Amino acid sequence: MTKPVFSKPFTQQEPIPEAAIERAVEVMRSGRLHRYNLLEGETGEAAKLEQEYAAYMGQRYCLACSSGGYALHIALKAAGLKPGEPVLSNAFTLAPVPGAIDNAGGKPVLVEIGRDYCVDLAHLEQMMQQSKARFFILSHMRGHIADMDAITALCQKYSVTLIEDCAHTMGASWDGRKSGTFGKVGCFSTQTYKHLNSGEGGLLTTDDDEVIARAIIYSGSYMLYQRHGTLPEARVFDAIKLDTPNYSGRMDNLRAAILRAQLPDLEQNCARWNERYRALEARLRENSQILLPPRPDKESYVGSSLQFRVEQFDNQQVAAFIAASAARGVELKWFGGAEPHGFTSRYDSWRYIEKAQHLPQTLEILATTFDLRIPLTFSVEDMALIGAIIDDEVEIRLGSQA
Ligand SMILES: *Cc1c(COP(=O)(O)O)cnc(C)c1O
């Protein structure tokens, strides 16, 4: 009997919707791609996107900028990070997070994760005490939302400013409140593999007058900041505009137009991701060696990827399992490798972080964690096949031990 094989690519996103393509063509016909290139009285696409995304988030302000990593960088600066200051972040995240801290002049201080892939609260408190950091970038890595009640309480207790990296939680919420509204700033990415797709792009949201004014100026507004979609009063800019450098990182009208046309479908797409996530999760549950993270009742996640662990695997079995799954068309990523690979890297490969940190719990968890993307080009039925292949390949290696 030949083994079933899956044949769709794990990196193929859905096409940009026709409505977005039409809007993009209109913007190109107008020639006004730069966000400040407007007709008299015109509100450009970038400004409209800011208004619509702020309304979607239920927040006062939004800034559209060049990438998610850039949004994190200027969020730190706008929130008042000084050169050389420590910035806390969970160790399981993507390279743009420590990169943004470094770019903002901060020193990353990494925190352990737990078996739910969220930041370890006990270690977080310990590192808050030890580092005296005034800032914490909480990366909701792979869409896992930590206990936000506990996180906000800790931030309050130690006077730490929370900045949320919502690259994987756009559309998600905790206890009915949108992810990105717990901290002083929420940062989102609209890079192709995230929940809205403009190739590259970032969105920053906040309710804070001074943070948004500084972020707008940092983003490269020249003295045209009044052309932004969501603005505090003019006096807020007057107080800071000459003290805030221009770190050119604007979003253009073309990408904004593409994003605006996708925003109305976001909620529906989140439901489609979850349908696929739950189908795969249900299939993987049939194998008790496959450990799936608990998803708390308060967490409304967006299942655009799935993580699982097979604790019994040793390093050789991990490698063989990944290779055998790949041979059957199932692309699994591994964050446990010493050598960074593709988009994935383990924290100890970020060697520019000065103070060497050893995080044994994170290393142990990542050593047997597998990660797979769930693009919307996969059907719900596809998930059963992917699940069956994973189940089978685990069974081949551990069957006798079960
Ligand atoms: C993608 C991503 C970012 C940054 O987004 P870019 O737009 O690529 O700069 C930040 N954090 C996480 C966890 C991400 O996956």
Side-chain angles (χ1 to χ4, degrees), residues 4-7 283 330 380-390:
V5 167
F6 183 68
S7 58
R283 181 62 187 80
V330 175
V380 177
E381 295 71 42
D382 287 340
M383 305 320 292
L385 174 57
I386 293 169
I389 292 171
I390 293 171

Side-chain angles (χ1 to χ4, degrees), residues 67-69 72 93-94 96-97 139 141 165 167-168 189 191 194 200-201:
S67 74
L72 288 167
T93 184
L94 232 60
V97 175
S139 182
M141 182 61 173
D165 168 21
H168 304 159
S189 168
Q191 189 232 78
K194 313 298 162 84
E200 300 283 358

Side-chain angles (χ1 to χ4, degrees), residues 65-72 90 92-98 100 137 139-143 165-169 187-194 199-203 335 343:
C65 62
S66 56
S67 74
Y70 182 88
L72 288 167
N90 38 315
F92 177 40
T93 184
L94 232 60
V97 175
I137 295 189
S139 182
H140 302 295
M141 182 61 173
R142 289 299 189 250
D165 168 21
C166 303
H168 304 159
T169 54
C187 298
F188 303 80
S189 168
T190 62
Q191 189 232 78
T192 292
Y193 304 108
K194 313 298 162 84
E200 300 283 358
L203 296 165
F335 281 86
F343 285 102

Side-chain angles (χ1 to χ4, degrees), residues 259-387:
L259 292 170
R260 285 187 65 214
Q262 290 172 45
L263 191 53
D265 297 333
L266 177 60
E267 293 283 306
Q268 197 199 331
N269 282 342
C270 291
R272 293 172 65 216
W273 267 304
N274 286 347
E275 222 187 324
R276 285 155 181 76
Y277 181 97
R278 283 168 192 147
L280 179 57
E281 184 187 46
R283 181 62 187 80
L284 294 178
R285 266 196 215 294
E286 291 177 24
N287 186 330
S288 61
Q289 315 267 14
I290 297 175
L291 304 176
L292 292 151
R295 309 276 354 202
D297 288 342
K298 284 187 178 179
E299 183 198 33
S300 291
Y301 59 87
V302 181
S304 53
S305 71
L306 183 142
Q307 293 69 43
F308 65 92
R309 273 179 304 119
V310 184
E311 279 182 348
Q312 280 97 323
F313 277 170
D314 60 29
N315 270 357
Q316 263 175 337
Q317 287 171 314
V318 164
F321 171 65
I322 292 172
S325 300
R328 296 174 68 179
V330 175
E331 200 183 296
L332 297 174
K333 293 207 208 133
W334 187 47
F335 281 86
E339 284 294 318
H341 186 74
F343 285 102
T344 62
S345 58
R346 208 171 66 187
Y347 75 85
D348 50 344
S349 72
W350 307 326
R351 287 206 321 226
Y352 54 86
I353 299 180
E354 265 169 37
K355 232 166 139 194
Q357 277 184 272
H358 182 55
L359 303 170
Q361 187 173 302
T362 299
L363 291 178
E364 189 205 314
I365 292 164
L366 294 183
T368 56
T369 293
F370 303 95
D371 169 62
L372 77 166
R373 271 203 189 112
I374 305 181
L376 290 176
T377 47
F378 292 1
S379 68
V380 177
E381 295 71 42
D382 287 340
M383 305 320 292
L385 174 57
I386 293 169

Side-chain angles (χ1 to χ4, degrees), residues 2-249:
T2 59
K3 290 176 176 176
V5 167
F6 183 68
S7 58
K8 293 186 187 172
F10 275 72
T11 49
Q12 182 60 55
Q13 302 296 75
E14 291 192 294
I16 299 300
E18 283 307 315
I21 294 172
E22 277 169 34
R23 258 327 270 140
V25 171
E26 279 172 43
V27 171
M28 287 192 280
R29 290 220 162 92
S30 79
R32 294 190 298 280
L33 271 66
H34 193 282
R35 66 169 298 161
Y36 305 131
N37 185 199
L38 302 171
L39 297 176
E40 187 71 31
E42 183 184 24
T43 305
E45 292 290 324
K48 283 183 184 161
L49 172 66
E50 288 165 345
Q51 291 166 352
E52 290 163 6
Y53 196 69
Y56 170 76
M57 289 298 294
Q59 292 205 278
R60 291 170 69 196
Y61 307 118
C62 172
L63 167 70
C65 62
S66 56
S67 74
Y70 182 88
L72 288 167
H73 161 222
I74 61 169
L76 282 169
K77 297 287 295 183
L81 180 76
K82 300 279 183 301
E85 269 197 89
V87 179
L88 295 157
S89 182
N90 38 315
F92 177 40
T93 184
L94 232 60
V97 175
I101 296 171
D102 186 79
N103 200 9
K107 303 269 177 229
V109 176
L110 302 173
V111 185
E112 296 265 31
I113 58 158
R115 287 183 156 64
D116 54 3
Y117 303 114
C118 295
V119 68
D120 181 304
L121 293 171
H123 194 238
L124 177 63
E125 177 155 20
Q126 195 188 321
M127 293 313 282
M128 280 179 170
Q129 289 167 343
Q130 253 178 46
S131 72
K132 309 253 186 321
R134 297 192 300 135
F135 299 91
F136 172 31
I137 295 189
L138 174 58
S139 182
H140 302 295
M141 182 61 173
R142 289 299 189 250
H144 297 281
I145 307 179
D147 180 340
M148 294 309 294
D149 309 311
I151 298 270
T152 46
L154 278 178
C155 288
Q156 218 160 14
K157 182 172 172 189
Y158 294 97
S159 305
V160 170
T161 298
L162 178 65
I163 292 171
E164 295 180 73
D165 168 21
C166 303
H168 304 159
T169 54
M170 180 187 275
S173 53
W174 174 265
D175 204 11
R177 188 168 153 190
K178 281 210 166 74
S179 179
T181 63
F182 290 85
K184 183 157 236 167
V185 192
C187 298
F188 303 80
S189 168
T190 62
Q191 189 232 78
T192 292
Y193 304 108
K194 313 298 162 84
H195 300 170
L196 295 178
N197 178 7
S198 59
E200 300 283 358
L203 296 165
L204 176 158
T205 59
T206 183
D207 279 334
D208 190 286
D209 288 351
E210 203 177 310
V211 165
I212 194 67
R214 283 188 193 280
I216 288 172
I217 304 266
Y218 278 131
S219 78
S221 65
Y222 303 98
M223 291 299 140
L224 298 168
Y225 49 81
Q226 291 298 343
R227 297 185 188 178
H228 275 254
T230 54
L231 288 162
E233 286 175 40
R235 62 174 172 78
V236 184
F237 285 99
D238 292 338
I240 56 102
K241 66 186 180 191
L242 304 182
D243 304 305
T244 307
N246 174 327
Y247 295 153
S248 265

